Structures are given as structure tokens and as C-alpha cells.
Short mmCIF file of all heavy atoms in Angstrom, two decimals:
data_model
loop_
_atom_site.label_atom_id
_atom_site.label_comp_id
_atom_site.label_asym_id
_atom_site.label_seq_id
_atom_site.Cartn_x
_atom_site.Cartn_y
_atom_site.Cartn_z
N ALA A 1 69.23 67.91 2.88
CA ALA A 1 68.82 66.55 2.49
C ALA A 1 67.83 66.60 1.34
O ALA A 1 67.87 65.76 0.43
CB ALA A 1 68.22 65.82 3.68
N LEU A 2 66.92 67.56 1.36
CA LEU A 2 65.95 67.70 0.26
C LEU A 2 66.66 68.01 -1.05
O LEU A 2 66.31 67.47 -2.10
CB LEU A 2 64.94 68.80 0.59
CG LEU A 2 63.91 68.49 1.68
CD1 LEU A 2 63.11 69.74 2.01
CD2 LEU A 2 62.97 67.37 1.24
N ALA A 3 67.64 68.91 -0.99
CA ALA A 3 68.38 69.26 -2.21
C ALA A 3 69.14 68.06 -2.76
O ALA A 3 69.15 67.80 -3.97
CB ALA A 3 69.33 70.42 -1.92
N THR A 4 69.78 67.31 -1.86
CA THR A 4 70.51 66.11 -2.28
C THR A 4 69.57 65.08 -2.89
O THR A 4 69.86 64.50 -3.95
CB THR A 4 71.24 65.50 -1.08
OG1 THR A 4 72.12 66.47 -0.51
CG2 THR A 4 72.05 64.28 -1.51
N LEU A 5 68.44 64.86 -2.24
CA LEU A 5 67.46 63.90 -2.75
C LEU A 5 66.91 64.35 -4.10
O LEU A 5 66.69 63.53 -5.00
CB LEU A 5 66.33 63.73 -1.74
CG LEU A 5 65.23 62.73 -2.10
CD1 LEU A 5 65.81 61.33 -2.29
CD2 LEU A 5 64.15 62.70 -1.01
N ALA A 6 66.68 65.65 -4.25
CA ALA A 6 66.16 66.17 -5.52
C ALA A 6 67.16 65.93 -6.65
O ALA A 6 66.77 65.53 -7.76
CB ALA A 6 65.86 67.66 -5.39
N ILE A 7 68.44 66.16 -6.38
CA ILE A 7 69.46 65.94 -7.40
C ILE A 7 69.50 64.48 -7.83
O ILE A 7 69.44 64.15 -9.02
CB ILE A 7 70.84 66.39 -6.89
CG1 ILE A 7 70.89 67.90 -6.74
CG2 ILE A 7 71.94 65.93 -7.85
CD1 ILE A 7 72.17 68.40 -6.12
N PHE A 8 69.59 63.58 -6.85
CA PHE A 8 69.69 62.16 -7.16
C PHE A 8 68.44 61.67 -7.90
O PHE A 8 68.54 60.90 -8.86
CB PHE A 8 69.88 61.34 -5.88
CG PHE A 8 71.23 61.48 -5.26
CD1 PHE A 8 71.43 61.29 -3.90
CD2 PHE A 8 72.33 61.80 -6.05
CE1 PHE A 8 72.69 61.41 -3.34
CE2 PHE A 8 73.58 61.93 -5.49
CZ PHE A 8 73.76 61.73 -4.13
N ASN A 9 67.27 62.10 -7.44
CA ASN A 9 66.04 61.61 -8.05
C ASN A 9 65.86 62.17 -9.46
O ASN A 9 65.46 61.44 -10.37
CB ASN A 9 64.84 61.99 -7.18
CG ASN A 9 63.58 61.30 -7.63
OD1 ASN A 9 63.34 60.14 -7.34
ND2 ASN A 9 62.73 62.02 -8.36
N PHE A 10 66.14 63.46 -9.65
CA PHE A 10 65.99 64.05 -10.98
C PHE A 10 66.93 63.38 -11.97
O PHE A 10 66.52 63.02 -13.09
CB PHE A 10 66.26 65.55 -10.92
CG PHE A 10 65.97 66.28 -12.21
CD1 PHE A 10 64.72 66.83 -12.42
CD2 PHE A 10 66.92 66.38 -13.20
CE1 PHE A 10 64.43 67.49 -13.61
CE2 PHE A 10 66.66 67.04 -14.39
CZ PHE A 10 65.40 67.60 -14.59
N ILE A 11 68.18 63.21 -11.58
CA ILE A 11 69.15 62.58 -12.47
C ILE A 11 68.75 61.14 -12.75
O ILE A 11 68.82 60.67 -13.90
CB ILE A 11 70.56 62.64 -11.86
CG1 ILE A 11 71.05 64.09 -11.82
CG2 ILE A 11 71.54 61.78 -12.66
CD1 ILE A 11 72.40 64.26 -11.14
N GLY A 12 68.30 60.42 -11.72
CA GLY A 12 67.92 59.02 -11.91
C GLY A 12 66.75 58.87 -12.86
O GLY A 12 66.76 57.99 -13.73
N ASN A 13 65.72 59.71 -12.71
CA ASN A 13 64.55 59.62 -13.58
C ASN A 13 64.83 60.18 -14.97
O ASN A 13 64.24 59.73 -15.95
CB ASN A 13 63.36 60.34 -12.95
CG ASN A 13 62.71 59.53 -11.85
OD1 ASN A 13 61.93 58.63 -12.09
ND2 ASN A 13 63.06 59.86 -10.60
N TRP A 14 65.70 61.17 -15.06
CA TRP A 14 66.06 61.71 -16.37
C TRP A 14 66.82 60.68 -17.20
O TRP A 14 66.61 60.57 -18.40
CB TRP A 14 66.90 62.97 -16.20
CG TRP A 14 67.23 63.68 -17.48
CD1 TRP A 14 68.31 63.46 -18.29
CD2 TRP A 14 66.46 64.70 -18.12
NE1 TRP A 14 68.27 64.28 -19.38
CE2 TRP A 14 67.15 65.06 -19.31
CE3 TRP A 14 65.27 65.34 -17.81
CZ2 TRP A 14 66.67 66.04 -20.18
CZ3 TRP A 14 64.79 66.32 -18.67
CH2 TRP A 14 65.48 66.65 -19.84
N ASN A 15 67.68 59.91 -16.54
CA ASN A 15 68.50 58.93 -17.24
C ASN A 15 67.86 57.54 -17.30
O ASN A 15 68.44 56.63 -17.91
CB ASN A 15 69.87 58.80 -16.57
CG ASN A 15 70.72 60.03 -16.76
OD1 ASN A 15 70.62 60.72 -17.77
ND2 ASN A 15 71.57 60.34 -15.80
N ALA A 16 66.69 57.36 -16.69
CA ALA A 16 66.06 56.03 -16.66
C ALA A 16 65.80 55.53 -18.07
O ALA A 16 65.29 56.27 -18.92
CB ALA A 16 64.76 56.11 -15.87
N PHE A 17 66.12 54.26 -18.29
CA PHE A 17 65.97 53.70 -19.64
C PHE A 17 65.09 52.45 -19.68
O PHE A 17 64.20 52.35 -20.50
CB PHE A 17 67.36 53.37 -20.20
CG PHE A 17 67.32 52.80 -21.59
CD1 PHE A 17 67.17 53.62 -22.70
CD2 PHE A 17 67.42 51.42 -21.80
CE1 PHE A 17 67.13 53.09 -23.99
CE2 PHE A 17 67.38 50.88 -23.08
CZ PHE A 17 67.23 51.73 -24.17
N LEU A 18 65.35 51.52 -18.75
CA LEU A 18 64.70 50.21 -18.85
C LEU A 18 63.19 50.31 -18.73
O LEU A 18 62.45 49.82 -19.61
CB LEU A 18 65.25 49.26 -17.78
CG LEU A 18 64.64 47.86 -17.75
CD1 LEU A 18 64.87 47.15 -19.08
CD2 LEU A 18 65.22 47.03 -16.60
N TRP A 19 62.70 50.92 -17.64
CA TRP A 19 61.25 50.96 -17.45
C TRP A 19 60.55 51.85 -18.48
O TRP A 19 59.52 51.45 -19.03
CB TRP A 19 60.90 51.40 -16.03
CG TRP A 19 59.42 51.60 -15.85
CD1 TRP A 19 58.75 52.76 -15.60
CD2 TRP A 19 58.41 50.59 -15.97
NE1 TRP A 19 57.41 52.55 -15.54
CE2 TRP A 19 57.16 51.22 -15.76
CE3 TRP A 19 58.43 49.22 -16.23
CZ2 TRP A 19 55.96 50.53 -15.79
CZ3 TRP A 19 57.23 48.53 -16.26
CH2 TRP A 19 56.01 49.18 -16.05
N PRO A 20 61.03 53.05 -18.80
CA PRO A 20 60.39 53.83 -19.87
C PRO A 20 60.37 53.10 -21.22
O PRO A 20 59.43 53.26 -21.99
CB PRO A 20 61.23 55.11 -19.95
CG PRO A 20 61.78 55.26 -18.58
CD PRO A 20 62.06 53.86 -18.11
N LEU A 21 61.40 52.28 -21.47
CA LEU A 21 61.41 51.51 -22.71
C LEU A 21 60.28 50.49 -22.73
O LEU A 21 59.67 50.23 -23.78
CB LEU A 21 62.76 50.80 -22.85
CG LEU A 21 62.93 49.85 -24.04
CD1 LEU A 21 62.88 50.63 -25.35
CD2 LEU A 21 64.22 49.07 -23.92
N ILE A 22 59.98 49.91 -21.55
CA ILE A 22 58.93 48.90 -21.47
C ILE A 22 57.54 49.54 -21.41
O ILE A 22 56.59 49.06 -22.02
CB ILE A 22 59.16 48.00 -20.23
CG1 ILE A 22 60.48 47.23 -20.39
CG2 ILE A 22 58.00 47.04 -20.02
CD1 ILE A 22 60.89 46.46 -19.15
N ALA A 23 57.44 50.64 -20.67
CA ALA A 23 56.13 51.26 -20.43
C ALA A 23 55.61 52.05 -21.62
O ALA A 23 54.40 52.32 -21.70
CB ALA A 23 56.20 52.16 -19.21
N ALA A 24 56.49 52.44 -22.53
CA ALA A 24 56.06 53.26 -23.68
C ALA A 24 56.52 52.59 -24.96
O ALA A 24 57.71 52.44 -25.20
CB ALA A 24 56.65 54.67 -23.57
N SER A 25 55.56 52.20 -25.77
CA SER A 25 55.88 51.58 -27.06
C SER A 25 55.65 52.52 -28.23
O SER A 25 56.12 52.26 -29.33
CB SER A 25 55.02 50.31 -27.26
OG SER A 25 53.64 50.63 -27.20
N LYS A 26 54.94 53.62 -28.00
CA LYS A 26 54.69 54.60 -29.05
C LYS A 26 55.77 55.68 -29.02
O LYS A 26 56.09 56.20 -27.95
CB LYS A 26 53.31 55.23 -28.88
CG LYS A 26 52.16 54.23 -29.01
CD LYS A 26 50.82 54.92 -28.83
CE LYS A 26 49.68 53.91 -28.97
NZ LYS A 26 48.35 54.55 -28.77
N PRO A 27 56.32 56.05 -30.19
CA PRO A 27 57.41 57.04 -30.21
C PRO A 27 57.06 58.37 -29.55
O PRO A 27 57.93 59.01 -28.96
CB PRO A 27 57.69 57.22 -31.71
CG PRO A 27 57.27 55.92 -32.33
CD PRO A 27 56.09 55.46 -31.52
N ARG A 28 55.80 58.78 -29.60
CA ARG A 28 55.43 60.07 -29.01
C ARG A 28 55.54 60.07 -27.49
O ARG A 28 55.60 61.13 -26.87
CB ARG A 28 54.00 60.44 -29.42
CG ARG A 28 52.94 59.50 -28.90
CD ARG A 28 51.54 59.94 -29.28
NE ARG A 28 50.52 59.00 -28.81
CZ ARG A 28 50.04 59.00 -27.57
NH1 ARG A 28 50.48 59.89 -26.69
NH2 ARG A 28 49.12 58.12 -27.20
N MET A 29 55.58 58.88 -26.87
CA MET A 29 55.68 58.79 -25.41
C MET A 29 57.09 58.44 -24.95
O MET A 29 57.32 58.27 -23.75
CB MET A 29 54.70 57.74 -24.88
CG MET A 29 53.24 58.15 -24.97
SD MET A 29 52.86 59.72 -24.15
CE MET A 29 53.43 59.39 -22.48
N PHE A 30 58.05 58.33 -25.86
CA PHE A 30 59.42 58.02 -25.46
C PHE A 30 59.98 59.14 -24.58
O PHE A 30 59.72 60.32 -24.82
CB PHE A 30 60.32 57.86 -26.68
CG PHE A 30 60.12 56.58 -27.44
CD1 PHE A 30 60.74 56.39 -28.67
CD2 PHE A 30 59.33 55.58 -26.94
CE1 PHE A 30 60.56 55.22 -29.38
CE2 PHE A 30 59.14 54.40 -27.63
CZ PHE A 30 59.76 54.22 -28.87
#
């Protein structure tokens, strides 16, 4: 279960777009 959760969470946060777009306005933090 830990391995499955790690895969889903890593992929989800790696591909996250909407919130990082809002939370970071400076190019160095993209």
C-alpha cells in the first residue's frame, strides 16, 4: 500500500499544474 500510494502521489505532484501555476508567479519557482 505504501508503494502504491508513493507512486500515485509522486505522479500527481509531479504533474500538478493548476496550484503551482497560482502559487508561483516568478519563473525561478515554476
Side-chain angles (χ1 to χ4, degrees):
L2 288 172
T4 302
L5 182 60
I7 291 174
F8 288 154
N9 190 80
F10 187 92
I11 293 176
N13 283 280
W14 185 271
N15 291 329
F17 180 80
L18 179 60
W19 174 246
L21 176 66
I22 296 172
S25 58
K26 296 180 180 179
R28 64 178 178 82
M29 290 304 303
F30 286 171

